[in-house]
Amino acid sequence: MNFLGSHLLSVDQLSRDDLAHLSEVARKLQPVARREKVTRVLEGAVLASLFLEASTRTRLSFGAAFSRLGGSVLETVGLTFSSMAKGESIADTARVISGYADILAVRHPEAGSVAQFAQTSLVPVINAGDGAAEHPTQALLDIFTIEEEFAQRSRPVDGAHVLFVGDLKYGRTVHSLMKLLTLYRNMTFTLLAPEMLSMPDGVVGLAESRGHRVYPITRLPDDTMEVDVIYTTRIQRERLQGEQIEGYSRDYHVNRFFVDHMGGDATVIMHPLPRDATPGSNDLSVELDSDPRLAIFRQTDRGIPVRMALFSLILGVADSIESTFRDVRWHRLAANT
Ligand code: NCD
């Protein structure tokens, strides 16, 4: 896609070359993300961030990425605090806000709603999650993470075996990521979820039509396996429509036993976060927190260079950005990944 001035609404817009281009810009921006360099390349630009559904990391990381490029951030959170609670349409809201800002990042509980924002917005709109449908920027940071982790292991992503586990029906991050992974060659996908929370047919069909192997399973297999990536996601309780999750058993609980059974020494363990810490949730276990294969916080860190790269490409400053770098002047306590 031509990023300049474009909306990013779905990963369907992206090609393999686009992923490589984005990752290349993200790598160049790592010194800013790691607080070794500063830039003011977006000085004067304004991001309007509308999060009409719960969020911590996506909202803050969009804001941090834009701020670190020198721009300013306007925010509104929660439907109840916006004029949409007074009955304002998406069309009017988008037109109004786009008069205040140079780019919008929007999260909304309904699938397809962010595309409606784009219809009347005067400026580019980035989908920060639309219901159970998609979460393109999470998928981009997940791809960047997989690329970086595999590079550290001197392995190509092509030909990898990826295990998705958890709520694959309502988990929008797994929809977007699996679609992007179909752009690689010769992939194998194992999809571990209870029947009622299985991956949508459209995503499975896309992978199959591109020649990849897809194995949906509902229980942990008896035999051990050695997958390259374990990507787990919590049950999206806020989206359940009467599905019974009592049977959501230890088969989906990614703990040490699970990783020993399904993974190997080089397996990358990922999760978009948040992980559900409520008792009995069977989400990714804290047992794995000191396991070096657990990439979850490297993953969140990488949201910053990836979102900076996206802003830079859409707003047309990616090529000139390195020439604007200056050294930081404050005392840095810790560098991120
Ligand atoms: C995800 C989301 O909002 O879809 N979180 C995130 O943005 N990192 C996953 C989730 O909420 O489970």
Side-chain angles (χ1 to χ4, degrees):
M1 72 180 271
N2 177 12
F3 286 98
L4 189 65
S6 297
H7 306 296
L8 179 63
L9 302 174
S10 162
V11 292
D12 297 342
Q13 295 168 254
L14 298 163
S15 67
R16 177 104 185 240
D17 284 348
D18 295 330
L19 300 186
H21 190 190
L22 241 148
S23 292
E24 184 197 319
V25 178
R27 265 177 221 115
K28 280 191 199 157
L29 289 166
Q30 278 289 30
V32 181
R34 292 184 175 129
R35 279 89 90 186
E36 292 152 9
K37 299 287 179 189
V38 287
T39 171
R40 307 291 300 159
V41 74
L42 286 188
E43 188 166 20
V46 174
L47 162 72
S49 166
L50 264 88
F51 275 71
L52 305 172
E53 204 189 28
S55 173
T56 305
R57 77 217 79 236
T58 305
R59 182 168 64 88
L60 294 184
S61 109
F62 266 113
F66 207 79
S67 304
R68 290 203 184 278
L69 291 171
S72 322
V73 182
L74 304 176
E75 291 197 337
T76 180
V77 291
L79 273 169
T80 37
F81 296 108
S82 79
S83 283
M84 295 175 89
K86 301 180 188 170
E88 188 169 45
S89 66
I90 286 181
D92 283 2
T93 307
R95 168 60 188 85
V96 169
I97 294 170
S98 68
Y100 305 153
D102 301 283
I103 189 160
L104 312 185
V106 182
R107 171 171 286 192
H108 191 283
E110 278 162 40
S113 53
V114 181
Q116 288 176 37
F117 273 87
Q119 278 171 15
T120 54
S121 170
L122 304 173
V123 300
V125 175
I126 302 179
N127 181 359
D130 61 328
E134 282 222 37
H135 195 341
T137 62
Q138 178 70 40
L140 287 171
L141 77 89
D142 289 340
I143 287 285
F144 186 56
T145 298
I146 292 171
E147 288 281 0
E148 296 286 281
E149 299 281 326
F150 275 52
Q152 282 161 13
R153 293 159 172 79
S154 307
R155 298 162 62 202
V157 179
D158 288 303
H161 186 167
V162 179
L163 166 66
F164 285 106
V165 50
D167 181 352
L168 308 186
K169 179 174 179 184
Y170 295 114
R172 55 192 169 198
T173 73
V174 294
H175 305 159
S176 294
L177 177 58
M178 182 156 158
K179 285 199 216 175
L180 282 187
L181 286 168
T182 66
L183 298 173
Y184 288 77
R185 282 189 295 276
N186 192 27
M187 303 294 286
T188 305
F189 299 103
T190 296
L191 309 176
L192 173 57
E195 198 89 58
M196 71 253 175
L197 296 178
S198 59
M199 186 69 88
D201 291 343
V203 183
V204 173
L206 178 73
E208 286 172 342
S209 71
R210 291 185 170 159
H212 306 293
R213 287 167 299 282
V214 184
Y215 302 110
I217 54 174
T218 55
R219 312 299 311 225
L220 208 56
D222 291 336
D223 295 335
T224 58
M225 287 170 79
E226 196 167 327
V227 302
D228 301 303
V229 177
I230 296 174
Y231 191 104
T232 179
T233 189
R234 71 180 174 95
I235 293 201
Q236 311 281 301
R237 291 178 196 280
E238 66 277 33
R239 297 192 218 294
L240 293 182
Q241 290 170 1
E243 288 89 347
Q244 299 305 312
I245 52 168
E246 282 78 43
Y248 196 80
S249 64
R250 57 183 283 274
D251 283 69
Y252 315 103
H253 190 197
V254 179
N255 55 12
R256 187 155 301 286
F257 171 79
F258 186 104
V259 173
D260 285 347
H261 199 71
M262 299 301 278
D265 291 345
T267 303
V268 184
I269 307 164
M270 299 173 66
H271 191 301
L273 300 183
R275 49 180 160 174
D276 188 345
T278 50
S281 63
N282 282 329
D283 203 341
L284 176 67
S285 170
V286 290
E287 235 174 68
L288 294 163
D289 280 10
S290 55
D291 189 315
R293 296 170 297 176
L294 188 76
I296 56 175
F297 298 117
R298 300 193 288 277
Q299 217 178 324
T300 51
D301 283 350
R302 288 180 182 124
I304 301 292
V306 167
R307 293 191 168 104
M308 283 199 292
L310 193 60
F311 286 136
S312 307
L313 287 165
I314 293 176
L315 296 175
V317 295
D319 292 337
S320 56
I321 210 159
E322 276 173 304
S323 62
T324 69
F325 284 4
R326 285 179 286 115
D327 290 337
V328 300
R329 282 192 277 190
W330 66 89
H331 177 66
R332 278 189 316 133
L333 281 179
N336 49 358
T337 332

